[in-house]
Amino acid sequence: MKIAKSVLLVLVATCIAALTKAETEKGSISFAPYGKVDGKDVNLYTLSYGDLTVDITNYGGIITRILVPDRNGAMGDVALGYNSVYEYIEETPYFGALIGRYGNRIANGQFKLNGKTYKLAKNNNPGGIGCNLHGGDKGFDKVVWEAETYFEGGLPSLKLSYLSVDGEEGFPGNLKVEVTYSLTKDAGIQMDYSATTDKATPVNLTNHNYFNLRGEGAGSINGHVMQIYASNYTPVGADLIPTGDIASVAGTPFDFTSPVAIGERVEDEHEQLAFGGGYDHNWVLDNQDGDMALAASVYEPSSGRVLEVWTEEPGLQFYGGNFLDGSIVGKSGRAYEHRDGFCLESQHYPDSPNQKNFPSTILKPGEVYETSTVYKFKTR
């Protein structure tokens, strides 16, 4: 039986439309007003696909909620944070934030590039020695980003864009940045970072989500069992700035090459733990070829939830919530006490602009900064 070409085209178009509709039916995007910052409207965007729901605001690119099931299917929020944008403005240890221009610390708040010394804000003071932390006084976590939502293959995405002008927070060059948050078919939050510049400048973008796989406000993370795929780390001084050495984790409390509870050795007598008040260090990932690879896996026994961090970055900062002290009350109305959340920040190494033996973080005109990281959730 012959089918007219026009009829065939209609059938094909109908099938494609039906397929697209079927894919988009699995996911959704919505948004609601979240306040005003610097005279600009801020929204809260909700991305859902399957059993994963994520809330993100275009103020600071902050992930405010991650809703995932436990092993029994009960949904729970595993991200620390607040209920309103004004709380993030008033006081936050970077809960869920998009970090830049430079994630982590830069020694003495300065670096030299092409013969010129650039001075930055000293907005962090570990060990009584000032340094630049997470981009300065007003980093990317404190600005309003342009936002665009769309579906890609039925999967919801939020693209955030921002122009960091030449001299902002002391950094050179007009830096055009795009960060896209996308949900994946296997319960992941994929973060794709991209940037270009008209002057050479350091760039090191990351996300600073605080996790508790028992649930936000559920207490200590010390019972979480973690594995980091890294044989080495970068030791720090009392100022939490890397010494420049790359040291083996073997025989130290920093050895997470096999699964071990976060709290099992955190109180050990070790100079590095004393400097950080616990874990607040950069692990040198075994995968150094720039491909997407598994960097860390965290399992919480009571809920059965598992978090995997996949990244193209060479480093991973594990921070164990050492500076949480009960003074911050989160979404559930419960105070966040010492070590009630942990961060796993994919990155280039801290203070790389001042460390010649570390992988370079300098982006030059004509180059494109591109990197991706995925937070993936499972149960067992």
Side-chain angles (χ1 to χ4, degrees):
M1 179 178 68
K2 293 185 177 180
I3 302 176
K5 185 177 181 180
S6 60
V7 175
L8 183 60
L9 289 174
V10 170
L11 288 171
V12 171
T14 302
C15 289
I16 292 173
L19 179 60
T20 303
K21 181 179 180 182
E23 288 179 338
T24 56
E25 282 176 351
K26 296 177 183 178
S28 65
I29 302 173
S30 63
F31 71 93
Y34 201 51
K36 277 185 176 290
V37 179
D38 297 333
K40 299 177 181 178
D41 291 329
V42 173
N43 292 320
L44 186 66
Y45 297 85
T46 299
L47 280 58
S48 294
Y49 189 87
D51 289 333
L52 175 62
T53 296
V54 181
D55 287 347
I56 307 165
T57 173
N58 62 314
Y59 171 70
I62 295 169
I63 296 175
T64 67
R65 181 178 69 147
I66 302 174
L67 200 61
V68 291
D70 66 11
R71 66 162 63 91
N72 298 315
M75 303 299 288
D77 182 4
V78 299
L80 276 62
Y82 295 119
N83 288 313
S84 76
V85 69
Y86 304 108
E87 291 172 288
Y88 287 102
I89 295 170
E90 184 176 350
E91 180 185 13
T92 175
Y94 304 97
F95 286 141
L98 198 168
I99 301 296
R101 281 189 194 188
Y102 199 92
N104 219 301
R105 294 177 173 89
I106 296 178
N108 200 33
Q110 65 181 33
F111 63 92
K112 184 178 286 189
L113 180 59
N114 295 332
K116 181 178 179 179
T117 297
Y118 292 89
K119 294 187 178 297
L120 314 172
K122 294 183 181 180
N123 62 314
N124 190 239
N125 195 37
I129 305 171
C131 68
N132 183 267
L133 177 66
H134 294 331
D137 290 328
K138 190 175 182 180
F140 291 177
D141 60 298
K142 298 180 181 68
V143 301
V144 179
W145 294 65
E146 295 294 324
E148 175 189 352
T149 59
Y150 60 92
F151 284 93
E152 184 83 29
L155 297 166
S157 296
L158 171 66
K159 181 167 73 174
L160 301 177
S161 304
Y162 179 67
L163 172 61
S164 176
V165 298
D166 186 18
E168 183 173 306
E169 287 297 322
F171 289 94
N174 293 296
L175 188 74
K176 296 180 179 179
V177 186
E178 289 185 353
V179 180
T180 301
Y181 295 89
S182 303
L183 303 193
T184 69
K185 292 183 178 180
D186 53 356
I189 306 168
Q190 180 161 328
M191 296 162 285
D192 297 317
Y193 304 88
S194 176
T196 59
T197 185
D198 59 4
K199 289 182 183 178
T201 186
V203 183
N204 190 28
L205 307 180
T206 190
N207 175 271
H208 205 293
N209 207 82
Y210 284 69
F211 297 99
N212 188 321
L213 298 181
R214 291 173 61 198
E216 178 269 337
S220 174
I221 49 87
N222 280 343
H224 289 54
V225 178
M226 184 169 68
Q227 184 170 11
I228 302 178
Y229 296 86
S231 303
N232 299 284
Y233 76 113
T234 51
V236 297
D239 55 0
L240 300 185
I241 298 294
T243 62
D245 296 330
I246 294 178
S248 172
V249 300
T252 77
F254 295 84
D255 189 350
F256 286 91
T257 53
S258 297
V260 62
I262 288 173
E264 184 170 321
R265 299 170 304 197
V266 71
E267 302 296 341
D268 285 6
E269 290 188 12
H270 192 283
E271 181 181 60
Q272 289 297 306
L273 292 176
F275 286 155
Y279 295 111
D280 190 7
H281 295 74
N282 171 69
W283 270 253
V284 177
L285 298 174
D286 290 339
N287 175 58
Q288 293 285 311
D289 58 13
D291 292 336
M292 183 67 73
L294 182 60
S297 178
V298 185
Y299 168 62
E300 200 290 298
S302 65
S303 67
R305 292 189 181 100
V306 177
L307 167 67
E308 292 181 349
V309 180
W310 294 73
T311 189
E312 297 173 342
E313 287 294 289
L316 187 73
Q317 185 85 8
F318 165 44
Y319 168 58
N322 310 319
F323 300 116
L324 297 175
D325 60 5
S327 62
I328 292 176
V329 176
K331 290 174 285 187
S332 59
R334 291 186 286 261
Y336 296 146
E337 302 288 351
H338 189 52
R339 299 192 182 126
D340 276 3
F342 68 92
C343 305
L344 292 170
E345 306 155 64
S346 58
Q347 61 181 11
H348 272 55
Y349 310 159
D351 198 37
S352 288
N354 296 311
Q355 304 277 356
K356 292 184 178 180
N357 62 321
F358 285 1
S360 175
T361 55
I362 304 302
L363 179 68
K364 299 175 183 177
E367 298 177 342
V368 179
Y369 173 97
E370 289 183 310
T371 185
S372 297
T373 294
V374 181
Y375 292 142
K376 189 180 297 185
F377 298 91
K378 301 179 176 180
T379 58
R380 60 181 168 95

